[in-house]
Amino acid sequence: MSTSGEAIIVIGAGSTGAAVAHDLALRGLPVVVLERGEPASGTTGRNHALLHSGGRYVVKDLESALECRVENELLHRLAPEVLERNGGLFVALDEEDMAYRDAFLAGCQEAGIPYRELSREEALRREPGLNPAFKTAIEVPDGVFDPYRLVLAWLATAQANGARVYPYTWVEEVERKNGRVVGVWARHVHTGRRLFWESPMVVNAAGPWAGRIAELAGAHVPIRPSPGVIVAVDARLNHMVVNRLRKPGDGDIIVPQRRTSLIGTTSWIADSPDRLPVPADHIEKMIVEGARLLPAVARVPVKAALSSARPLVAGNLEGEGREISRTFQTFDHEVTDRVANFVTIAGGKTTTSRAMAETLGDLVCRKLGIDAPCRTRETPLHSYRRYRVELPA
Amino acid sequence: MTEAAHARWPIQVEILRYKPDRGRFLQTFQVLMEPESTVLDVLEEIQVHQDPTLAYRHSCHHASCGTCGVKVNGRERLCCLSRMDEVARPTTGGYTLRLEPLDNLEVLSDLVVNPTPLYTTMEKAGAPYHRYEEAAGGPVEAFPDCIECSICLSACPVVATSTRYPGPAPLAGSLAALLQAGDGAAAAEALAFADSEHGVWRCHMAFECTEACPMGVRPAEAIMQLRHTLTLPRLGLARRKIPGAAASPTGGSHAEGGIHRDRS
């Protein structure tokens, strides 16, 4: 199969779509990104900004933990300017948390995540706002990223390698002929013009909207929007990421970012990723739980509270979303729905989006019969300041 | 409002819109919002339920990305931090809200301005990237909190009159670059950026940028400090030398001068 010069279309410029665009462009393939709004205006923009060390997954999901560890190290080399390299703590507050300690340490060891149990003095010196009643504090290489700027850095690098990025371009139709996708109709929000892009391969990277895009192509993606609430307080209360040492649950993590601390999160299953509510009782819960880790949380004003929908690949919806694997999935719709030239990448998380893009890039190349190895592991990203807004002709 | 907790307010939202083929037009929408709702919630409500062509920028929803700056009732603000109970104006039978795109920027559509010229200028100014480790109080050190939202460009009366004036954020960025660079070539470059006929000397000291900055960066103070730094060598009062600090397009003879760095 030949690409005959037409670009591969990537639908969505969140962390997944942007990383995919970068991956494909770096392989020398022509790429067009269609994003319905601002880059990172869906799930990615409103994410917790946690650059995972993998610590949150070591007990229940070693696969995710390993993936996080590797990608965390890579991002430190590839995009240092969009990271705060602060480190993270896992903090036990009671005996139940302490009962989790051994499994946590064993998991860190198994996943190869560097960890260090701090002395009480060191923990308090480095994180003076910690609840002084803590039982132990374990340091891991968590970090913080700037989601918007990370996405722009991917897009800027993709642009430098020839990709065209069109924000505010809303996909309306996926055109098919004889069971194959042949292109995409999209409306440019600014001009109102409806435009057609012919394409040998369309990549659906629409996050929690991936189900809707798949429907346009006559395919099915079992995606469920699983929103969570994050509360940003009007002060930076911690230097490092502070996690509760226990099985991941509501309100067990506080991520410092710029002049704020982000407390998260809750988790439920929603019907639609649009107009997500920010329930008042969830905000309250974040403050109560957050104050257990950093008591000052209860004394500072709330700056903003937000919801965003994790794009979880369903199949097992027990536990209101939290039990669904955080690892991503790709769908070759030629196999799953007899719709050729159309693939979906869904799930995952921003920390591992480079790896997600690599897997998807390999799939696309295999399907197009192109031999072009992934080069994202060794290619530093351009500055986000080199991102350019493009308008479709 | 007696049932303040869960009451929804009827709000008349007037938006100064723009589409390339239609030009500017004013359109009014009616929404019911909670007092805690933000302008972003209002815009999403309109976009999802009333008019999908309404264009606005947003990403993080907590004032770190810098995308959602607009003029709310005539003043530059971040939509994500503007709650109805703060910005909606009571009228008989409800509330009103007026939204316009930022001034002095290229409007692409409705409330969407082009952010990339500012990025280019920031890069030219050598403005450092955000690093928390470096952000420890004071106007200069607070610079890394700049979220490049363009709000200061919109608020600045000089930017309104000159396309060649880089504006508050880039000038503040050049001071941050200068302080970070110490005495090397990068310092000379940062100084040259600030010290041109279109640089810090054009500031009218309206201090609108400092007033409008949602992050407390205080660019006007940074501009004043740059003037101070640039003036001392010309008066022979500088304490330290900067090689290349004389490379000033304004031609002032301060080749023998140095740079005074206020380390408070």
Side-chain angles (χ1 to χ4, degrees), chain A residues 123-137:
Chain A
L124 283 173
R125 178 170 54 74
R126 293 178 59 192
E127 210 54 85
L130 267 189
N131 180 347
F134 75 93
K135 307 274 184 206
T136 190

Side-chain angles (χ1 to χ4, degrees), chain A residues 64-228:
Chain A
S64 283
L66 277 163
E67 205 171 77
C68 286
R69 192 208 79 205
V70 171
E71 294 305 318
N72 176 311
E73 288 165 6
L74 277 172
L75 278 177
H76 273 97
R77 281 194 277 124
L78 303 178
E81 79 194 25
V82 298
L83 306 182
E84 290 183 23
R85 303 191 233 191
N86 306 328
L89 288 181
F90 278 78
V91 178
L93 295 182
D94 55 29
E95 290 308 323
E96 207 182 321
D97 293 355
M98 282 305 276
Y100 190 77
R101 174 183 168 277
D102 290 352
F104 178 81
L105 295 179
C108 283
Q109 202 137 34
E110 197 168 348
I113 297 167
Y115 66 89
R116 197 161 66 91
E117 200 157 15
L118 303 184
S119 71
R120 186 178 176 76
E121 294 68 34
E122 184 178 357
L124 283 173
R125 178 170 54 74
R126 293 178 59 192
E127 210 54 85
L130 267 189
N131 180 347
F134 75 93
K135 307 274 184 206
T136 190
I138 301 158
E139 185 185 9
V140 294
D142 280 343
V144 181
F145 54 78
D146 182 323
Y148 179 66
R149 287 172 174 76
L150 177 58
V151 165
L152 290 196
W154 266 316
L155 295 176
T157 315
Q159 286 177 317
N161 291 308
R164 311 302 304 268
V165 180
Y166 301 122
Y168 298 92
T169 306
W170 203 303
V171 170
E172 292 186 334
E173 257 183 83
V174 178
E175 178 112 338
R176 280 176 293 161
K177 263 186 199 139
N178 307 322
R180 332 182 67 81
V181 166
V182 294
V184 164
W185 286 97
R187 195 175 294 279
H188 189 227
V189 176
H190 300 346
T191 58
R193 274 201 294 275
R194 206 169 122 90
L195 302 148
F196 182 70
W197 280 270
E198 202 177 329
S199 175
M201 181 65 63
V202 174
V203 178
N204 173 14
W209 291 271
R212 291 190 195 167
I213 296 293
E215 264 173 50
L216 296 178
H220 178 65
V221 174
I223 201 93
R224 296 301 299 272
S226 169

Side-chain angles (χ1 to χ4, degrees), chain B:
Chain B
M1 289 285 143
T2 45
E3 306 170 81
H6 290 288
R8 294 207 291 165
W9 293 1
I11 302 170
Q12 181 172 309
V13 188
E14 201 175 60
I15 303 179
L16 183 61
R17 302 190 60 180
Y18 168 81
K19 295 292 178 190
D21 57 339
R22 250 187 103 172
R24 288 199 159 188
F25 57 101
L26 207 56
Q27 191 171 358
T28 303
F29 298 91
Q30 300 286 343
V31 292
L32 277 174
M33 302 301 296
E34 285 164 6
E36 306 80 34
S37 303
T38 66
V39 172
L40 276 190
D41 296 323
V42 170
L43 291 167
E44 192 185 2
E45 175 68 19
I46 295 169
Q47 195 202 53
V48 170
H49 295 298
Q50 301 186 35
D51 186 348
T53 72
L54 179 68
Y56 62 100
R57 303 179 65 215
H58 68 107
S59 177
C60 79
H61 295 222
H62 67 267
S64 80
C65 69
T67 61
C68 69
V70 305
K71 284 168 73 182
V72 180
N73 298 331
R75 293 294 296 181
E76 289 82 4
R77 300 184 65 116
L78 293 175
C79 295
C80 64
L81 297 187
S82 301
R83 285 163 48 131
M84 291 306 103
D85 51 14
E86 261 183 288
V87 298
R89 293 178 161 163
T91 57
T92 42
Y95 295 83
T96 63
L97 189 64
R98 185 184 166 98
L99 306 176
E100 299 161 76
L102 293 179
D103 285 334
N104 311 330
L105 291 145
E106 180 194 5
V107 178
L108 298 172
S109 164
D110 298 337
L111 302 174
V112 176
V113 294
N114 187 355
T116 61
L118 175 65
Y119 289 159
T120 307
T121 323
M122 295 298 275
E123 199 66 7
K124 228 173 115 189
Y129 298 111
H130 168 70
R131 287 273 189 281
Y132 174 71
E133 286 75 11
E134 296 159 4
V140 172
E141 290 82 359
F143 178 77
D145 276 341
C146 175
I147 54 174
E148 298 163 309
C149 62
S150 298
I151 275 180
C152 60
L153 300 182
S154 176
C156 174
V158 182
V159 174
T161 61
S162 167
T163 53
R164 300 185 66 183
Y165 181 60
L171 288 170
S174 72
L175 177 63
L178 177 67
L179 295 184
Q180 200 175 67
D183 293 356
E189 265 175 51
L191 269 186
F193 178 88
D195 184 22
S196 82
E197 60 179 311
H198 299 290
V200 286
W201 310 108
R202 294 206 60 168
C203 170
H204 289 173
M205 293 184 273
F207 280 69
E208 295 284 351
C209 51
T210 292
E211 193 72 22
C213 176
M215 301 301 286
V217 168
R218 295 197 275 174
E221 285 82 341
I223 291 168
M224 292 309 111
Q225 192 176 335
L226 278 166
R227 287 185 175 181
H228 174 83
T229 300
L230 288 162
T231 303
L232 284 175
R234 290 172 195 176
L235 300 175
L237 296 173
R239 280 178 266 169
R240 297 172 54 203
K241 278 198 167 193
I242 273 214
S248 153
T250 50
S253 169
H254 50 281
E256 300 306 309
I259 182 165
H260 166 79
R261 292 175 71 198
D262 237 333
R263 287 213 179 258
S264 43

Side-chain angles (χ1 to χ4, degrees), chain A residues 38 42 52 76 80 97 138 149-150 153 206 212 224 228 240 257 286 309 332 349 361 371 375 391:
Chain A
E38 186 72 20
H52 285 270
H76 273 97
D97 293 355
I138 301 158
R149 287 172 174 76
L150 177 58
R212 291 190 195 167
R224 296 301 299 272
M240 291 186 273
Q257 192 200 24
M286 288 308 94
D332 177 352
K349 49 195 160 299
D371 181 21
R375 296 197 289 124
L391 306 173

